[in-house]
Amino acid sequence: MRHFIGAVSAAVAFALTGCTGTEDSFMTEAEALERAEQHIADAVAQIIPAPSVEPRRRLDIPCRDQAGRDDGLYQVERRYWLHDLPVEDNRQTFDTLYAYWTDTGYEIVDDIRDRAQARALTAHSDGFTVHLLESVEGELSIRATSPCIRTSESPSDT
Amino acid sequence: MNTSASNRYASIDLDVLGQAVADLEETLNGLHQWLPGLERDFAYFGVDTASLNRLGAAKRELDSVVPDLRERHRRAEILLVHQSNYRLHGEDGVVHFTGDLIDGNGHVSHQIHDQTSRPPGEVNQWWTGLGDDEKNYLTEYHPYLLGRLDGVPVSFRDQANRAVLAHEIERLRHELSRLINPPGLDTPLYFDGRPVPPTDPMAHLPRLQEASRLGQRLPGLLAIQERLERTDPPAYLIDFSTQGLGRTVISIGNPDEADNVGTYVPGTGSQLDERINTDIRRADIMFDDAHDAAKSSSTAVIMWLGYNAPQDVILDVQNPSHTAWSPSRAESAAPNLRRFQETLRVTHIEGNSHNTLLGHSYGTTVIGHAAKEGDIHVDNLVFIASPGVGVNHVSDLGVDAGHVFATTAHGDPILFTPDRILGTQPSSNRFGLHTIDGTIGPTYFRSNPGGHSSYWDNGNKARNNFAYIITGQYGFVR
């Protein structure tokens, strides 16, 4: 029993180390934000009629090192509401972005278009993740997130 | 006793006041014993009673003053014990405070000490009966007690705990400085980034270890303060302590006013140090995701680190209860979590909010132990990457099985945890959950493949599912 527990705890401790995010140590914070904005702008440009966009707060996500602890890097994120879109056109908007992202080399990592409400579509490209979401009320939001990079929040010695 | 310019006591030396009260009581007892006889004798012999009348006046004055002083001494003793617990005073036995212990709003200083052992509902009734001045007085002068008093509205606890946090940051900095640069040492060397005496560093090892511990804790306190300073959306510090591994309960949004309230219980490795930043950020993420999923309803998400989480997954044979292989930490935490959820019900301003408890890793074990003991006052339980929740079947939890949800990612090593350690894993078929296909029930929902801490990563479908459960949109969980 003791050997078994020891072996399992060692396996768990070892396996817990494998949970780090994608890292891009050469991208600056400004570049990451610019590219996140560009992913969103490219997507929004496909939507007809053009929506008005309302920026949301920026919420960066801490990345983890090999031991599962914060490594001082962050995934930076930009997030917007998309206003002035008819709710009945939402399915078409999702189909449009699915086609656009597929045609331009994005990898579709989550596709929940086949329901009447609360649809979601997630695509991945060059370490960036772009996510289109429909609220239960029919409002659309879009967010783009960078790989793990050093930001102004990062400690100076990381 | 010292008095301020406004004739209010600023400090009391317990020993001096205690001796004075004892002496005055002895004098008063003497007057009570001898004065009646003297009055009879003076009247019988026709002696001038002017001096005797002065003694009578002194007795009447002492009859009034001594009980007052005795009560002040008793209340000052209570305050001293309280302040000692929080290291708010020195070793001199002098208790410091502003205001008056008996007059004005000071009487609530006594009342608040009686509340700490009462249920949240009774505390809330007491609080509701106080005037605004009294509430403000307690917030200002008793932040350590008020900040942790279940049943007091979140907005007042937040004010009190912000003061406690600021005080603790100052205290920690001062203590750290004292440890690193103790008086009387010559030019320090540097060891592990910190100055140490040039000779015999091993003799100073305990001091350095304590400095290292405080040095790791300070960034956690600063991270909390930094989040509280941001107001979009506002955060509320509901509970806070630096005792032991530390206690932090912080909410994104005000749970007393929100339609939906999620309480996130972190797991192994969480404590009041720099890692608290990640746990708070997860609450922020779930807050935003809930807003994205259901814009018309308001949501608050609480990060509840109201327990001493195990700090290691490696089995410690000498101290098995310190690791995630023992349920003892969860058993200890369960009553606190249940009481906190009851508190959320009590302080919510209008009816009940839609409340969800979400645990990650060992946090699910805490939730399971709290839920199996009876009413946990929530609508949903969510087990994220659970190693076991202290029961072997969903029906053993005190929540309708249709409102129990779980997810564990493919590739998460927590799946290796044997059932015999903490109970059957919710991800096991034996636990009684099933994946949904359009039906609502005890639900095992999806998350992206990944490691043990990947559930809040960008693009992880688990995040949408958290949002749908927190906002009560169960039909969209998948």
Side-chain angles (χ1 to χ4, degrees), chain B residues 151-185:
Chain B
V152 172
V154 162
S155 59
F156 284 95
R157 292 181 69 171
D158 173 56
Q159 284 183 57
N161 283 318
R162 284 174 188 246
V164 172
L165 175 65
H167 179 269
E168 288 298 304
I169 287 173
E170 281 307 304
R171 189 178 66 78
L172 220 63
R173 281 182 168 145
H174 179 264
E175 182 70 6
L176 202 51
S177 171
R178 191 185 64 81
L179 289 166
I180 294 172
N181 300 305
L185 286 182

Side-chain angles (χ1 to χ4, degrees), chain A residues 13-85:
Chain A
F14 176 76
L16 281 176
T17 64
C19 49
T20 55
T22 310
E23 180 179 343
D24 188 332
S25 55
F26 300 106
M27 195 182 304
T28 66
E29 182 175 0
E31 288 168 347
L33 285 170
E34 185 181 341
R35 288 179 62 180
E37 295 279 14
Q38 192 60 52
H39 279 286
I40 290 171
D42 290 346
V44 170
Q46 309 305 312
I47 302 171
I48 299 173
S52 61
V53 295
E54 177 194 347
R56 310 271 299 282
R57 68 162 168 159
R58 175 180 159 188
L59 185 63
D60 298 345
I61 298 174
C63 303
R64 299 171 305 279
D65 62 16
Q66 291 296 313
R69 294 184 56 146
D70 290 0
D71 62 6
L73 304 180
Y74 289 85
Q75 294 175 301
V76 300
E77 179 180 276
R78 299 300 293 158
R79 193 186 278 230
Y80 290 89
W81 288 114
L82 304 179
H83 296 307
D84 305 327
L85 291 172

Side-chain angles (χ1 to χ4, degrees), chain B residues 256-387:
Chain B
D256 287 351
E257 300 171 355
D259 300 322
N260 311 298
V261 178
T263 303
Y264 159 62
V265 183
T268 303
S270 288
Q271 65 164 294
L272 183 48
D273 61 13
E274 64 180 357
R275 285 169 282 186
I276 202 86
N277 190 38
T278 295
D279 289 322
I280 295 172
R281 198 67 64 102
R282 286 176 179 171
D284 263 311
I285 290 168
M286 288 188 279
F287 177 93
D288 276 4
D289 288 349
H291 196 47
D292 282 355
K295 194 180 180 187
S296 60
S297 62
S298 59
T299 295
V301 178
I302 300 163
M303 195 287 293
W304 188 88
L305 187 54
Y307 79 113
N308 286 335
Q311 295 300 301
D312 211 332
V313 296
I314 303 294
L315 180 63
D316 182 346
V317 178
Q318 300 298 322
N319 298 292
S321 66
H322 293 183
T323 71
W325 293 88
S326 165
S328 64
R329 294 285 174 96
E331 289 165 352
S332 300
N336 296 341
L337 182 57
R338 240 188 348 265
R339 182 180 166 98
F340 180 69
Q341 292 303 315
E342 180 186 355
T343 298
L344 290 177
R345 291 291 195 219
V346 164
T347 57
H348 199 265
I349 55 172
E350 204 170 290
N352 278 350
S353 47
H354 175 258
N355 290 3
T356 300
L357 253 177
L358 308 96
H360 176 235
S361 190
Y362 197 84
T364 67
T365 313
V366 174
I367 291 175
H369 279 269
K372 74 177 183 179
E373 297 298 333
D375 189 1
I376 194 171
H377 307 282
V378 299
D379 300 285
N380 310 298
L381 302 180
V382 182
F383 299 132
I384 307 160
S386 176

